[in-house]
Amino acid sequence: MASEFSKLIPGNQKLTWWQEFRHQQLPTALPTLFSLLSNSFPWLITLRFVGCLDDDSRLASAALANSLSNVTGMSIAVGLSSALVTLSAQAVGDAKRRHTLERNDLDWSQRSRDEMFLPLVILYRGTYLLLLILNPIFLWWIFGVEHFLRLIAQEEVVCVQTARYMKVLTPGMLAMCINWNVTAWLQVM
């Protein structure tokens, strides 16, 4: 069976299974890889700069704050965003199904106003719920991290510096959570 990619090769050479796999997967894999790396770079760059200060307690504080923010904030935001993807995909799919059953044509551009705005309403509801659920976590980041770290017997210097770093991370994590939510929603559209 000839592949559509073999038509693109000069001289109409036959592709091996690996070359065909690579041609099919790279358009998806490269943007995904770029997205994951661009989300990780701010954390890595920050740790690199803190590591250049030659102060082990500051590096330990920054690493601990990054770990706490990933576990308590980002993992919850990613989980809630994945629920948003599921709900939006179902809303779009259901609207398309109802549209084709009612009109017996495939002109999706002639959809009703309710069908057009349902995925957008799901985005707004998802973002609202995400912020509602993450607000107590962000308040804990601002006011409760230092006390929590003292309870688990961390050094005093590490407790204070981690709490300061978490306070600085809070606005950025808030924006990143909203960005993650909108990105997940746009993948469905």
Side-chain angles (χ1 to χ4, degrees):
M1 180 170 110
S3 168
E4 63 185 61
F5 295 110
S6 62
K7 297 173 187 172
L8 302 175
I9 305 296
N12 205 7
Q13 299 171 356
K14 201 162 186 148
L15 292 176
T16 65
W17 71 271
W18 174 248
Q19 290 171 329
E20 191 166 332
F21 176 78
R22 190 175 60 208
H23 284 289
Q24 290 174 353
Q25 296 300 318
L26 280 181
T28 303
L30 288 179
T32 304
L33 179 66
F34 178 74
S35 173
L36 291 173
L37 287 176
S38 65
N39 283 332
S40 299
F41 274 141
W43 307 104
L44 295 174
I45 290 170
T46 303
L47 285 178
R48 173 71 176 130
F49 279 124
V50 172
C52 289
L53 295 175
D54 290 332
D55 186 3
D56 290 340
S57 65
R58 287 186 182 180
L59 183 59
S61 300
L64 183 60
N66 279 337
S67 296
L68 277 174
S69 67
N70 282 332
V71 169
T72 60
M74 195 52 138
S75 61
I76 294 172
V78 170
L80 291 173
S81 295
S82 67
L84 179 73
V85 168
T86 303
L87 292 174
S88 296
Q90 288 176 353
V92 170
D94 183 52
K96 285 183 180 180
R97 183 190 58 82
R98 279 189 281 129
H99 180 75
T100 55
L101 289 176
E102 290 173 1
R103 296 199 175 93
N104 290 329
D105 60 7
L106 297 176
D107 189 11
W108 175 239
S109 63
Q110 300 298 323
R111 57 191 177 199
S112 72
R113 184 173 266 228
D114 292 338
E115 292 171 340
M116 286 180 6
F117 290 118
L118 183 60
L120 192 60
V121 168
I122 291 174
L123 170 68
Y124 289 151
R125 286 179 182 171
T127 304
Y128 175 74
L129 285 174
L130 178 74
L131 295 176
L132 188 68
I133 291 170
L134 289 179
N135 268 335
I137 294 171
F138 291 145
L139 289 173
W140 178 72
W141 284 11
I142 294 170
F143 300 112
V145 170
E146 188 173 347
H147 179 68
F148 171 74
L149 292 174
R150 284 191 183 117
L151 285 176
I152 60 172
Q154 292 293 322
E155 296 177 14
E156 182 67 27
V157 175
V158 172
C159 293
V160 171
Q161 290 177 352
T162 301
R164 286 177 53 200
Y165 192 77
M166 293 289 283
K167 288 175 185 174
V168 171
L169 283 180
T170 303
M173 184 60 81
L174 180 67
M176 188 174 271
C177 290
I178 293 171
N179 180 33
W180 195 274
N181 217 13
V182 172
T183 303
W185 179 77
L186 286 174
Q187 288 174 349
V188 173
M189 304 325 275

